[in-house]
Amino acid sequence: MIGFTLSYGSMFAKIWNVHRLSTLAKKESKKVESWQLYSVVGALLAMDVLLLALWTGINPMRMEPHKFPPEEAKDTEDDVEYEPLLEQCVSTNDTIWMGVIFAYKGLFLIFGLFLAYETRSVKIKELNDSRFVGMSIYNVVVLCIITAPVTLIINKQHNAKFAFVALSIMFCCFLSMGVIFVPKVLEIYRRKKGDHNDSKKLDDSLPSREEEEKHQKLLAENEELKKQIQEKEEKVKILNERVRQRAAERARLTKEQEAANSKEEPPQPNRISPPRQTIAAEVARDDRHSDSALPSSTGA
């Protein structure tokens, strides 16, 4: 428990400091102090010591032997039987205390994983190995998620449990140290070899403080523009919906008006043409009038 806090707590303190520096205001100083890292590890270590002291004071450990079935000796000449015996340290409420420790360490792992995810793209010149620390935290969390349930399942198989836990711890430690320290060793080797171009790649890839401030400013402006664009899109959707509703209402009113006009308009009477005899009589009368108006030949 203390070893886990010292190893994982150091990485947690580093990634927490990176997250804190990445969220500081522009005018605040981003200087990294060693005592801040030591204080985080010291606080975590003090919590572990307090928890273990409470456990020891309330339910102290005691040795409990666990006997296995007797085994006959391989040498048949000796009339001897071996009785395997396993001595374990147990307490009255060890299940409750282990549950408290697992819950506390589980929250500790989840919070470290959250910080590692939040600072995955953060680059700070004073902490140039934050990305490797985040990768180490990912490895520790994955191995803890695998190891803890398996140890509970094979709790009665003591040899298998010891071998599995030992291999998991060694693999986790070697992997974390390799991820963090191998790039630094390679960097020192390049510098000793005199390859200054390669040795400056890491520093050249890291932005300066002015670039970091400019980057943070652009990110803030980008977020503000995204919010404004989202608000405008919402307004446009509302206006389009209103226009659609007005067009539907206008079409409905037009149809109702046309239907009302068609009902109110009276029917037009059909025009009947006069009969042919009446037309012929009118033509003959017009001819007589025209003949009487002309002078007669006898009078001339």
Side-chain angles (χ1 to χ4, degrees):
M1 183 173 176
I2 300 296
F4 175 80
T5 301
L6 290 175
S7 59
Y8 182 78
S10 302
M11 295 185 291
F12 177 83
K14 195 71 172 288
I15 206 70
W16 175 80
N17 205 6
V18 172
H19 185 269
R20 184 183 62 85
L21 294 177
S22 64
T23 55
L24 285 177
K26 299 177 182 178
K27 297 182 180 180
E28 296 183 13
S29 176
K30 292 187 177 182
K31 187 178 180 180
V32 180
E33 299 289 347
S34 298
W35 66 267
Q36 296 175 347
L37 304 177
Y38 296 146
S39 63
V40 175
V41 178
L44 296 174
L45 190 60
M47 293 179 66
D48 285 349
V49 172
L50 178 61
L51 184 58
L52 292 175
L54 291 174
W55 188 358
T56 305
I58 297 174
N59 297 119
M61 291 286 183
R62 66 180 185 277
M63 187 181 66
E64 183 178 286
H66 180 70
K67 296 180 180 181
F68 293 91
E71 298 178 359
E72 294 183 358
K74 295 181 180 179
D75 191 0
T76 57
E77 295 179 358
D78 298 333
D79 189 12
V80 177
E81 280 188 350
Y82 293 99
E83 186 178 9
L85 181 66
L86 178 65
E87 296 178 346
Q88 291 179 321
C89 292
V90 296
S91 63
T92 304
N93 297 318
D94 55 352
T95 305
I96 297 175
W97 289 104
M98 290 299 295
V100 172
I101 292 174
F102 281 162
Y104 162 59
K105 296 299 181 181
L107 294 175
F108 189 28
L109 288 172
I110 292 173
F111 189 46
L113 185 64
F114 168 75
L115 293 179
Y117 178 77
E118 287 292 319
T119 58
R120 65 191 184 280
S121 59
V122 175
K123 293 181 179 179
I124 298 176
K125 201 167 186 178
E126 291 81 1
L127 299 171
N128 53 11
D129 60 345
S130 59
R131 184 165 58 91
F132 302 115
V133 174
M135 293 173 61
S136 300
I137 290 178
Y138 293 149
N139 297 329
V140 172
V141 171
V142 171
L143 288 174
C144 288
I145 291 174
I146 296 172
T147 306
V150 174
T151 54
L152 294 177
I153 294 172
I154 61 174
N155 192 26
K156 298 299 182 180
Q157 303 175 10
H158 303 285
N159 293 332
K161 177 183 176 182
F162 178 80
F164 182 77
V165 172
L167 289 175
S168 299
I169 292 174
M170 287 190 293
F171 179 73
C172 181
C173 292
F174 279 113
L175 185 61
S176 299
M177 288 189 295
V179 170
I180 294 175
F181 292 106
V182 167
K184 296 181 179 180
V185 173
L186 294 176
E187 186 69 20
I188 294 173
Y189 177 75
R190 290 194 188 99
R191 291 188 179 183
K192 285 185 177 181
K193 195 176 179 180
D195 195 354
H196 299 288
N197 294 328
D198 292 339
S199 63
K200 292 181 180 179
K201 285 182 180 179
L202 182 61
D203 294 336
D204 293 341
S205 62
L206 295 173
S208 61
R209 180 171 297 180
E210 291 78 11
E211 292 177 348
E212 290 176 9
E213 293 178 356
K214 186 177 180 180
H215 179 68
Q216 295 295 332
K217 182 179 179 180
L218 290 175
L219 288 178
E221 293 179 355
N222 190 18
E223 293 295 330
E224 186 65 25
L225 289 175
K226 285 182 180 180
K227 292 180 181 179
Q228 294 180 2
I229 291 173
Q230 187 175 3
E231 292 176 358
K232 297 295 183 182
E233 289 179 352
E234 293 294 333
K235 290 182 179 179
V236 169
K237 288 181 181 179
I238 294 173
L239 292 175
N240 288 334
E241 186 65 24
R242 290 180 180 177
V243 169
R244 197 178 297 109
Q245 292 177 359
R246 289 184 179 181
E249 186 69 19
R250 189 177 298 135
R252 186 181 63 81
L253 292 175
T254 303
K255 289 181 180 179
E256 292 178 356
Q257 187 175 2
E258 290 178 355
N261 293 335
S262 61
K263 291 179 180 179
E264 294 176 358
E265 184 177 355
Q268 297 292 335
N270 294 329
R271 295 182 179 179
I272 302 174
S273 57
R276 293 182 179 179
Q277 294 178 359
T278 306
I279 296 173
E282 291 179 358
V283 171
R285 188 170 56 253
D286 292 338
D287 291 340
R288 285 196 299 270
H289 283 294
S290 59
D291 292 339
S292 61
L294 293 174
S296 60
S297 58
T298 56

